[in-house]
């Protein structure tokens, strides 16, 4: 089963929609700050697009998503990037997301060989959480003018470290780990294409147009 958490009125096609408001297309009305009314090990794919910044207790919500997910389920999270003034000043955002976030979601971190680096957490390492999400993929979506081909990847990596308002959103794909899993399995999964939020289609289309030669 594929589940779209916080789907609002634009549920992903082929997904079971969960939202606290009874919009058209919502299949289960509930507040994800509490219990999600699904059995253990139900979900094979979970979409959480632009919803987790609003939850009261992120670790509690991630625990509940972990409960309803089966072993090797994939969880896709799209969230505002923490180091952006419009996001950091938004009084409705209770949770922050950046490259360090995946380190807090597991006691056995896996760094995929491709994609951005999730740096080690200095000085204040977090204890192992009550769940195990291993990072498969992480993607940064840059703000104008950094979203153009004027910049090399290495330049962007330095810029986002030195200043705010370089990255707008961040997307992760995690795998739910409930049994033993090998490095080879994780690496193979990290190279597998997975669904992503429909909200990104227009962003990718515009990015493709900008990259085309005039």
């Amino acid at each position: 089963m594929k589940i779209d958490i916080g789907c609002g009125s634009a549920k992903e096609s082929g997904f079971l929609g969960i939202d606290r408001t009874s919009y058209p297309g919502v299949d289960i009305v509930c507040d994800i700050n509490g219990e999600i009314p699904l059995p253990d090990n139900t979900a094979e794919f979970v979409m959480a697009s632009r919803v987790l910044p609003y939850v009261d207790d992120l670790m509690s919500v991630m625990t509940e998503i972990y409960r309803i997910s089966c072993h090797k389920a994939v969880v896709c999270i799209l969230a505002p990037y923490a180091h952006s003034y419009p996001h950091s000043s938004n009084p409705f955002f209770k949770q922050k997301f950046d490259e360090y976030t995946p380190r807090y979601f597991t006691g056995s971190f896996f760094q995929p060989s491709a994609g951005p680096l999730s740096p080690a957490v200095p000085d204040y390492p977090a204890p192992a959480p009550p769940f195990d999400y291993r990072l498969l993929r992480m993607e940064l979506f840059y703000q104008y003018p950094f979203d153009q081909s004027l910049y090399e990847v290495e330049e962007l990596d330095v810029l986002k470290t030195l200043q705010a308002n370089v990255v707008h959103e961040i997307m992760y794909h995690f795998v739910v780990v409930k049994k033993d899993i090998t490095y080879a399995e994780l690496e193979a999964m990290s190279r597998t294409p997975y669904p992503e939020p429909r909200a990104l289609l227009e962003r990718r289309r515009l990015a493709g147009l900008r990259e085309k030669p005039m």
Side-chain angles (χ1 to χ4, degrees):
M1 179 185 296
K2 295 189 293 185
I3 298 173
D4 186 356
I5 289 180
C7 63
S9 58
K11 181 178 68 174
E12 299 287 341
S13 178
F15 283 68
L16 179 81
I18 295 177
D19 201 279
R20 65 180 180 180
T21 301
S22 183
Y23 294 109
V26 172
D27 301 290
I28 297 176
V29 178
C30 77
D31 186 344
I32 62 170
N33 287 298
E35 182 178 347
I36 299 174
L38 288 172
D40 297 357
N41 307 309
T42 297
E44 297 175 348
F45 190 96
V46 176
M47 186 78 75
S49 176
R50 298 173 175 169
V51 64
L52 294 184
Y54 300 98
V55 302
D56 297 330
D57 184 336
L58 180 61
M59 301 305 272
S60 176
V61 171
M62 295 305 293
T63 299
E64 186 65 0
I65 293 174
Y66 186 79
R67 179 190 67 79
I68 67 171
S69 298
C70 63
H71 175 59
K72 295 177 73 171
V74 173
V75 177
C76 176
I77 297 172
L78 177 65
Y81 189 68
H83 314 297
S84 171
Y85 292 152
H87 298 327
S88 61
S89 63
N90 189 329
F92 298 101
F93 288 168
K94 302 173 186 177
Q95 312 299 331
K96 308 295 184 182
F97 298 85
D98 65 9
E99 297 94 331
Y100 291 95
T101 301
R103 294 276 182 171
Y104 296 99
F105 284 0
T106 178
S108 303
F109 180 73
F110 167 76
Q111 175 64 57
S113 61
L117 177 70
S118 179
V121 179
D123 304 324
Y124 299 95
F131 44 69
D132 189 356
Y133 294 95
R134 310 279 178 93
L135 180 65
L136 296 178
R137 184 173 302 136
M138 181 166 61
E139 186 172 358
L140 304 172
F141 297 95
Y142 292 87
Q143 299 185 169
Y144 178 84
F146 306 105
D147 59 345
Q148 300 187 22
S149 56
L150 301 173
Y151 298 89
E152 300 292 337
V153 173
E154 294 78 9
E155 290 179 293
L156 291 171
D157 194 51
V158 172
L159 283 169
K160 69 181 176 61
T161 302
L162 296 177
Q163 68 182 64
N165 301 318
V166 175
V167 180
H168 179 62
E169 289 185 297
I170 188 166
M171 181 173 67
Y172 319 89
H173 283 85
F174 294 98
V175 59
V176 171
V177 177
K178 294 189 174 184
K179 302 176 184 178
D180 290 341
I181 192 167
T182 66
Y183 179 92
E185 287 179 282
L186 291 169
E187 186 63 26
M189 291 189 72
S190 76
R191 297 177 179 277
T192 301
Y194 296 105
E196 58 184 43
R198 186 170 53 205
L200 292 180
L201 294 178
E202 181 64 10
R203 178 187 290 276
R204 293 198 188 281
R205 186 186 72 82
L206 293 175
L209 289 176
R210 283 194 292 269
E211 292 174 1
K212 289 180 179 179
M214 299 299 290

